[in-house]
Amino acid sequence: MTLNQPATTAPQHRNACPACGGSRHPSPPVPWPGFAHADLRPFTAPPLIFVHCPTCGLVGRAPQSSDIAPEAIYTSANYAERKPPLAYVRPPETPDVMVPTPLHQVNILRREEVSFDSVLDIGCFDGKFLEFVRQTVPRARLVGYDVNPHCRGFMTDGVAFECSGLDQIDGSFSLITMSHSVQYERDITTLLGHIDRLLDADGAVFIQVPDFSLRPTTLLFSDLYHQLTLNSLIDVLGLFGFDAVGISGTAFRRDALVLARRGAKPRRPRHHDGSTLNAALGDLHSMAARVARLKDGRHWSVLGTSIESAFAIHLLGDDVVGIIDEAESSQGTDFQGRIVRHPRDLGPDDHVILPLGPHAGTVITRFRETYASEFVLI
C-alpha cells in the first residue's frame, strides 16, 4: 500500500508544522536550559521557547543559533557505549514485583492480542525489547532498526539489524514498534510513509512516547524534534490514515501508548488551542517554585535518575548530595556526579526529594512506610 495523503497541506515554510503544514504558534520563553536525554545534562542554553500547532497539536522547540543537530549525537559511538542499565517498572497487576520494562511492553502487547509473527522495532537501541519478544515467540522474524551503527553489537542471535535507512528494509511486518523514538525523527511524514509500506495489511503499530500533559518535565528535553500527548499522537496518526486508540492500565502512567491500524481514510484532527502546553508550562513553574522553597540549608538526596531529578539538581545545585533508586541495577552508578544508592541505605537524618508530582501520594506513603528517611514530594 502507499501512504495516505494527509488531510491537510504539506509543510511549505520554516515555521510550518512538520506533520500537517499548519502554522505553529510560539509560547512565552521559560528560564531553564534544555537537557540531553542521554546523560540528562544541560544541552541547550535558556531561555526555551516552544511552538505548538493548533491544527494537530504537535509541539516543538523554537531553534536557536547554538543548536547542535541531534543526529550528530544519536549516531556516535559514545552514545551507544553509554548503554544504561536495564530499567524496571511495577505493573499494576503485580505492584509488589518489579519487572524489566521491555518485558512489560511485551506483556501489554500480548494482552492487546497483536501478532508477533514478524516484528520491526524502530529505534531499537540495545535490542532488549526484541530479546524479550524472542523469549515469548521463538520463531518470530525480528528486525531492529536504529540510526546508530554501533548498536549492531547489542543484537542477540536471530535478530537482524539495519542502520542505513528504513528504505533498506524489505518485506512486511505484523507488528511495528516505536518506544520513545518517534519524537527524535525530524521528518515524521517520511517516517509514517515507511511504516505504511512495511506494515502487513492487518498489522498493528505500537507507539509509546512521553506525554507532556502528564509529565511536563519532558518538555525540557531539547535534543529531539517533537513533543506529544495522547491526543496529539492520535491526531497525527489520523492525518495519515491510521486509526489509533490509547492503551491504559500499564505501569507507564505518564506516557502515551497507542495501538494503530490502517483506517479507511485520513481524518482531520480536533482543534488544539494551546491550553495543554500552557498548563504543562505552568506546572513546570510550580515545580520550580516548590523546589526553590527547599533551598533552606539542608542537604538533599533525590529519587531517580530521571529528567525530574536532573531538573531538581539544576535548581538546587550543591544542596543535592546524593541520588537514591530502588532498582538494584542502578546501585553504585554515577548520576550528575553523585553516586546512586538504595533508599534502605539512608537513615532518619537524611532528607529525600521525590520529584514525582503532587499527585504521587501513594508513592510517598509507601516510601514513608518502608524506609527511615524524611521524604518530601514535589
Side-chain angles (χ1 to χ4, degrees):
M1 294 180 63
T2 58
L3 179 69
N4 279 312
Q5 293 301 308
T8 53
T9 305
Q12 297 294 325
H13 55 88
R14 186 171 181 268
N15 196 40
C17 172
C20 71
S23 293
R24 298 189 293 180
H25 300 170
S27 72
V30 296
W32 311 297
F35 294 80
H37 77 281
D39 58 10
L40 292 170
R41 293 188 182 276
F43 179 75
T44 304
L48 301 179
I49 298 175
F50 299 94
V51 288
H52 86 276
C53 175
T55 302
C56 68
L58 195 66
V59 168
R61 181 178 60 83
Q64 300 180 12
S65 59
S66 59
D67 280 352
I68 300 172
E71 291 85 352
I73 301 170
Y74 308 151
T75 56
S76 69
N78 288 340
Y79 181 78
E81 289 168 358
R82 89 193 206 289
K83 186 180 178 182
L86 183 62
Y88 286 75
V89 294
R90 295 180 182 273
E93 61 272 18
T94 56
D96 296 329
V97 179
M98 298 186 75
V99 303
T101 294
L103 175 60
H104 184 46
Q105 292 169 320
V106 170
N107 289 337
I108 290 168
L109 291 169
R110 292 178 65 188
R111 185 184 71 194
E112 297 293 326
E113 299 183 342
V114 303
S115 169
F116 289 98
D117 288 348
S118 51
V119 183
L120 169 63
D121 187 21
I122 300 175
C124 64
F125 190 57
D126 61 5
K128 286 296 182 183
F129 173 78
L130 295 173
E131 186 177 327
F132 280 99
V133 172
R134 170 69 72 211
Q135 295 175 15
T136 303
V137 187
R139 296 181 179 275
R141 179 170 68 96
L142 305 178
V143 178
Y145 174 81
D146 201 286
V147 295
N148 193 314
H150 305 282
C151 292
R152 185 183 302 276
F154 299 144
M155 301 301 114
T156 55
D157 290 344
V159 177
F161 178 76
E162 180 58 60
C163 62
S164 55
L166 287 170
D167 56 348
Q168 300 301 305
I169 299 176
D170 296 322
S172 62
F173 297 86
S174 62
L175 175 65
I176 297 177
T177 59
M178 296 189 72
S179 176
H180 288 233
S181 54
V182 69
Q183 64 267 41
Y184 300 103
E185 176 55 56
R186 182 197 300 263
D187 189 349
I188 198 167
T189 299
T190 298
L191 169 67
L192 290 172
H194 285 303
I195 289 176
D196 186 73
R197 176 180 63 84
L198 293 165
L199 188 66
D200 282 349
D202 56 352
V205 181
F206 170 73
I207 298 178
Q208 178 176 350
V209 296
D211 185 329
F212 73 77
S213 70
L214 303 175
R215 192 180 180 186
T217 46
T218 58
L219 287 169
L220 297 174
F221 285 126
S222 59
D223 58 345
L224 46 70
Y225 292 107
H226 316 298
Q227 298 278 2
L228 293 143
T229 65
L230 177 62
N231 286 339
S232 62
L233 178 56
I234 289 173
D235 280 355
V236 168
L237 290 169
L239 286 170
F240 297 92
F242 290 98
D243 287 340
V245 294
I247 301 174
S248 58
T250 79
F252 308 114
R253 296 174 180 85
R254 296 186 293 174
D255 281 0
L257 288 75
V258 303
L259 195 66
R261 302 180 188 273
R262 288 193 187 89
K265 60 181 180 179
R267 292 183 294 102
R268 284 196 172 274
R270 74 204 86 192
H271 177 69
H272 297 260
D273 61 5
S275 59
T276 302
L277 175 61
N278 290 337
L281 294 176
D283 288 343
L284 281 178
H285 282 285
S286 296
M287 179 181 178
R290 292 194 299 272
V291 172
R293 288 194 289 270
L294 300 179
K295 203 169 180 62
D296 55 10
R298 286 180 288 179
H299 287 160
W300 295 92
S301 292
V302 177
L303 172 67
T305 55
S306 63
I307 181 61
E308 290 82 10
S309 307
F311 189 38
I313 291 170
H314 168 74
L315 295 170
L316 288 174
D318 292 339
D319 289 349
V320 176
V321 296
I323 304 296
I324 66 166
D325 198 310
E326 290 185 294
E328 297 293 344
S329 58
S330 297
Q331 305 310 302
T333 59
D334 178 278
F335 181 74
Q336 305 281 347
R338 298 157 177 86
I339 299 299
V340 180
R341 296 186 292 167
H342 197 282
R344 62 172 172 254
D345 297 331
L346 303 182
D349 294 330
D350 290 302
H351 313 288
V352 182
I353 295 170
L354 275 58
L356 303 176
H359 304 297
T362 56
V363 179
I364 194 169
T365 297
R366 179 174 66 81
F367 269 75
R368 287 170 174 166
E369 292 175 347
T370 308
Y371 306 112
S373 305
E374 176 196 4
F375 296 97
V376 175
L377 187 66
I378 61 168

